[in-house]
Amino acid sequence: MTNTLSACTSILIGKKASIDGSIMIGRNEDAKAAWPKHMVVHQRGELGKRFISKETKLELVLPGESARYTATPEWTDRAGLFEEDGINEYDVAMSATESAYSNQLVLGCDPHVEHGLNEEAMITVVLPFVKTAREGVQHLGDLIAKYGSGETNGVLFADNNEAWYFENGSGHYWVAQRIPDDAYAVVANQLAIQEVDFNDPENFMFHPGIREFVEENHLNPHPAGFNFRQIFGTADRADAVYSEPRVWIGHQMFSSLAAQDEQAESADLPFIMKPDRRLSIFDAQRYLSDHFAGTPYDPLSKGPLAHRYRPISLAKTQESHILQMGRQTGANIHWLAMGVAAESTYVPFFNGITDVPASYKRGKLPAQLNSAYWIFKHASVLVDSHLHDFLPLLEEVQKERNAAAIKLIKETDHALVNYQGNERANFLTQQSENFATDTMNAYKKLTLELITKMTDYSPLNFNTDENL
């Protein structure tokens, strides 16, 4: 079985838009309802000198010694690595990719490349070799310009100072936009970047030949400007029910004036907005866990519109992550929720760790219950079986674990000043492993409670008259 193109949802939050001054980039990796993910820490120099993609057969000479970095690869590398997200030792974060679509006019002029650089390899060949987010954008852009890509994708970058969103709109042409410090962005399987300012290198990066390509091939429907989304993207009925409502609900959450109720299917919703208030890590988690709760479009409701739109959090989410950068009080954090974000818990892994619990490195098909992925999925499918009765029990665990995560982070930040070098790495590793283990144990306990309660739901039950 091969991996299908991930159909994801992303969020980016600038440092002045967050409640604690951190930068956050996050994404749901959505592909299959039962397709395990692992988490690993690659050590410095682990990758060697050459890379060959199992998916596209692209061969690359890697540019020097690879840095240490975290990643969440597939359980099998038969179709490729799909490492998806991570933070390297230089405090650069990367998430790849947000799958998108290009229009036929553009692809007729610059088709996708069969043996190019795809999602499967992007983290592996970029993240270990860059020291800033801006450098990551340029390195990825140079690779796609040279080798091409077989997909249209969006890629998230961040470091301690800024966040960037990168998009390639065809086989070779790309742009990237810096997220303003006081703003956020939400993206849902569409090309998102709008007007590009070619005279603003602080906030825009791009393929050097993109303007000439567009002009020579008569691709710009509004030549007074350069709206990348309109030139390269799509705006059809599929977008209206699959992608645009997820952007709309994000603006409903954070910038209520940006998206009114009647705009759920609008093709003109803004990419970047200023929030009504400063956003926390739990706001980012809430967005990536959303399924139109409180609206007629919630799949958990029974109304006529319950399945009209594709929700953000759904059964096909393999993992959800938020990479929290620029933390002034301690180490940056790779937050990871295995399985369906709405029915899982985000576990904080501090940047600088040397390893993760063994259960995070296990998991295959069929299910095995010593795997972190399957531990969270087990609880999730049991809750789904009797949602009305079991969801409150799950939410109790989630709330307790969320509060415990903040407590852990504060304690770790406070104690970190006492550690240097290897002792610091060992301390961060132990703190991360302890919390991850405690969270898995909480879900195992929940699973046993759910199984116990389910024993009385059998159709073989019979209520005997108490007088007999």
Side-chain angles (χ1 to χ4, degrees):
M1 182 180 292
T2 58
N3 198 325
T4 57
L5 195 65
S6 295
C8 311
T9 308
S10 299
I11 184 169
L12 306 93
I13 300 173
K15 58 188 173 184
K16 292 183 179 178
S18 72
I19 201 167
D20 60 356
S22 66
I23 296 167
M24 290 172 267
I25 60 172
R27 182 173 60 90
N28 288 354
E29 181 188 359
D30 304 334
K32 301 174 184 177
W35 197 250
K37 297 295 294 188
H38 295 175
M39 185 182 190
V40 299
V41 180
H42 290 292
Q43 303 305 322
R44 171 176 276 273
E46 185 178 320
L47 296 187
K49 297 181 179 180
R50 295 185 66 83
F51 174 83
I52 301 175
S53 169
K54 288 193 174 183
E55 182 191 37
T56 70
K57 313 307 178 186
L58 174 68
E59 297 188 30
L60 296 175
V61 176
L62 299 177
E65 185 180 46
S66 58
R68 186 196 68 243
Y69 68 104
T70 55
T72 61
E74 303 282 73
W75 69 278
T76 172
D77 65 357
R78 284 179 296 171
L81 295 175
F82 292 90
E83 294 202 298
E84 296 299 313
D85 51 279
I87 307 175
N88 73 17
E89 65 181 273
Y90 302 112
D91 283 312
V92 179
M94 179 179 174
S95 176
T97 68
E98 179 72 36
S99 302
Y101 303 92
S102 303
N103 64 62
Q104 298 170 40
L105 187 61
V106 164
L107 291 179
C109 300
D110 181 35
H112 287 142
V113 177
E114 181 180 359
H115 300 295
L117 177 61
N118 287 356
E119 171 181 349
E120 176 267 327
M122 285 182 182
I123 292 288
T124 313
V125 302
V126 174
L127 183 58
F129 304 102
V130 297
K131 295 183 178 180
T132 67
R134 194 178 291 257
E135 188 179 332
V137 169
Q138 189 65 59
H139 187 41
L140 178 59
D142 289 345
L143 289 172
I144 289 179
K146 182 176 181 178
Y147 299 103
S149 179
E151 305 161 349
T152 299
N153 282 314
V155 181
L156 298 73
F157 290 94
D159 55 26
N160 288 330
N161 298 307
E162 56 187 7
W164 283 81
Y165 191 65
F166 171 107
E167 292 182 318
N168 69 291
S170 60
H172 299 85
Y173 291 95
W174 61 273
V175 300
Q177 183 171 1
R178 182 182 182 274
I179 306 303
D181 292 342
D182 61 351
Y184 74 92
V186 288
V187 193
N189 297 133
Q190 288 178 295
L191 289 176
I193 296 174
Q194 295 170 299
E195 287 296 330
V196 178
D197 186 345
F198 293 104
N199 297 313
D200 184 5
E202 287 300 308
N203 294 295
F204 291 93
M205 299 172 69
F206 43 85
H207 186 293
I210 192 170
R211 283 177 288 183
E212 291 78 5
F213 167 72
V214 168
E215 183 175 350
E216 290 174 1
N217 290 286
H218 310 289
L219 299 175
N220 192 346
H222 303 287
F226 195 97
N227 188 308
F228 184 75
R229 181 194 296 177
Q230 292 180 357
I231 297 169
F232 285 82
T234 58
D236 53 27
R237 183 59 190 163
D239 294 316
V241 299
Y242 191 79
S243 300
E244 288 149 7
R246 286 178 279 154
V247 176
W248 166 79
I249 198 66
H251 292 323
Q252 286 277 6
M253 288 180 177
F254 306 136
S255 293
S256 54
L257 295 178
Q260 304 304 315
D261 288 350
E262 66 275 10
Q263 293 180 302
E265 299 181 11
S266 172
D268 297 318
L269 289 170
F271 168 45
I272 293 173
M273 283 297 301
K274 294 182 180 181
D276 296 336
R277 55 183 171 79
R278 293 190 175 186
L279 306 177
S280 74
I281 186 66
F282 292 134
D283 287 309
Q285 293 179 12
R286 184 165 64 93
Y287 176 68
L288 294 177
S289 302
D290 186 74
H291 44 81
F292 300 114
T295 77
Y297 314 120
D298 188 349
L300 302 185
S301 70
K302 297 181 179 179
L305 302 178
H307 292 275
R308 181 170 184 171
Y309 300 137
R310 189 269 209 206
I312 295 169
S313 185
L314 76 174
K316 292 186 178 181
T317 302
Q318 295 171 273
E319 54 85 17
S320 178
H321 55 270
I322 300 168
L323 310 176
Q324 189 175 15
M325 310 300 292
R327 296 189 65 247
Q328 301 300 312
T329 56
N332 292 325
I333 301 174
H334 185 155
W335 295 84
L336 180 63
M338 284 292 194
V340 181
E343 298 174 336
S344 185
T345 288
Y346 288 86
V347 173
F349 291 91
F350 295 101
N351 195 32
I353 61 176
T354 59
D355 204 356
V356 297
S359 58
Y360 274 80
K361 295 180 283 186
R362 287 195 292 253
K364 57 185 180 180
L365 294 176
Q368 53 182 147
L369 295 182
N370 60 353
S371 152
Y373 173 87
W374 284 114
I375 288 169
F376 288 104
K377 288 289 285 189
H378 190 191
S380 175
V381 296
L382 291 178
V383 168
D384 286 342
S385 68
H386 298 88
L387 197 65
H388 177 76
D389 292 343
F390 292 167
L391 186 58
L393 300 176
L394 169 65
E395 290 174 341
E396 286 181 14
V397 174
Q398 290 175 319
K399 290 175 182 177
E400 185 277 327
R401 288 287 83 200
N402 287 344
I406 299 303
K407 182 174 182 289
L408 166 84
I409 292 166
K410 288 185 175 295
E411 292 174 350
T412 304
D413 289 349
H414 180 73
L416 201 55
V417 296
N418 300 317
Y419 297 93
Q420 298 293 331
N422 290 337
E423 288 186 350
R424 174 188 168 96
N426 292 338
F427 174 66
L428 291 173
T429 301
Q430 194 61 57
Q431 291 290 91
S432 299
E433 287 192 358
N434 288 347
F435 187 87
T437 300
D438 289 346
T439 302
M440 284 187 290
N441 287 338
Y443 272 74
K444 289 178 183 178
K445 181 179 178 181
L446 171 64
T447 296
L448 294 177
E449 183 179 0
L450 298 179
I451 292 173
T452 303
K453 289 181 177 295
M454 289 176 70
T455 59
D456 203 36
Y457 286 80
S458 171
L460 293 176
N461 253 337
F462 186 82
N463 293 322
T464 304
D465 190 314
E466 62 182 13
N467 294 319
L468 294 179

